[in-house]
């Protein structure tokens, strides 16, 4: 399939709402723009470098957990919540009463990012 003619999907009506239905991506791709080859080579190189750096991290699971926690924190800030990453690491009994709902919401953000 030619990359230049590909569309990511289309909107369709489903009952009372509009849904974006994704197009399939499992094709043998081709393209005419020679710059695409350079971009793909650079992306491949960057992914290899990222993989090499990941070997230096002693425990990738802890790193990913902290990354998800940081993402949840920034989402909570956008929502205007007054909660810190430290708050979410406290036991339930240690969380200040005025922050319990925000901490639970933050933990739900982390759970949502952990779903597979």
């Amino acid at each position: 399939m030619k990359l230049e003619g590909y569309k990511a999907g289309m909107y369709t009506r489903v009952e009372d709402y509009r849904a974006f239905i994704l197009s399939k991506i499992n094709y043998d791709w081709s393209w005419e723009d020679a710059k695409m080859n350079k971009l793909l080579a650079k992306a491949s190189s960057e992914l290899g470098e990222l993989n090499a750096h990941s070997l230096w991290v002693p425990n990738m699971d802890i790193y990913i957990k902290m990354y998800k926690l940081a993402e949840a924190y920034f989402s909570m800030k956008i929502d205007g919540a007054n909660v810190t990453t430290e708050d979410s690491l406290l036991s339930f009994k240690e969380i200040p009463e005025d922050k319990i709902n925000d901490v639970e919401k933050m933990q739900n953000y982390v759970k949502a990012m952990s779903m597979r």
Side-chain angles (χ1 to χ4, degrees):
M1 170 174 264
K2 290 272 188 202
L3 183 62
E4 290 84 359
Y6 178 75
K7 293 188 182 221
M10 60 185 232
Y11 284 100
T12 185
R13 215 16 89 224
V14 179
E15 295 182 18
D16 293 335
Y17 60 93
R18 207 170 83 157
F20 186 78
I21 307 300
L22 297 173
S23 298
K24 295 182 180 187
I25 61 170
N26 194 16
Y27 296 107
D28 289 327
W29 293 97
S30 64
W31 48 88
E32 294 176 6
D33 188 353
K35 287 193 286 186
M36 184 62 73
N37 293 328
K38 288 182 181 179
L39 290 171
L40 288 170
K42 183 171 175 28
S44 180
S45 174
E46 296 287 335
L47 284 171
E49 189 175 325
L50 180 62
N51 187 46
H53 286 294
S54 73
L55 298 175
W56 296 343
V57 177
N59 187 332
M60 188 57 76
D61 291 334
I62 291 174
Y63 177 80
I64 290 172
K65 182 177 181 179
M66 295 310 291
Y67 178 77
K68 290 176 184 177
L69 192 58
E71 286 295 315
Y73 167 77
F74 289 119
S75 293
M76 294 296 294
K77 282 297 189 190
I78 290 169
D79 291 346
N82 184 24
V83 66
T84 65
T85 53
E86 290 83 8
D87 291 333
S88 69
L89 297 172
L90 297 172
S91 70
F92 189 73
K93 292 177 184 177
E94 297 173 309
I95 300 170
E97 194 170 319
D98 61 325
K99 293 186 176 186
I100 289 176
N101 288 338
D102 287 340
V103 170
E104 286 179 342
K105 188 174 179 182
M106 188 171 177
Q107 290 171 344
N108 287 337
Y109 274 117
V110 172
K111 286 178 190 174
M113 286 186 277
S114 300
M115 297 177 122
R116 293 182 184 195

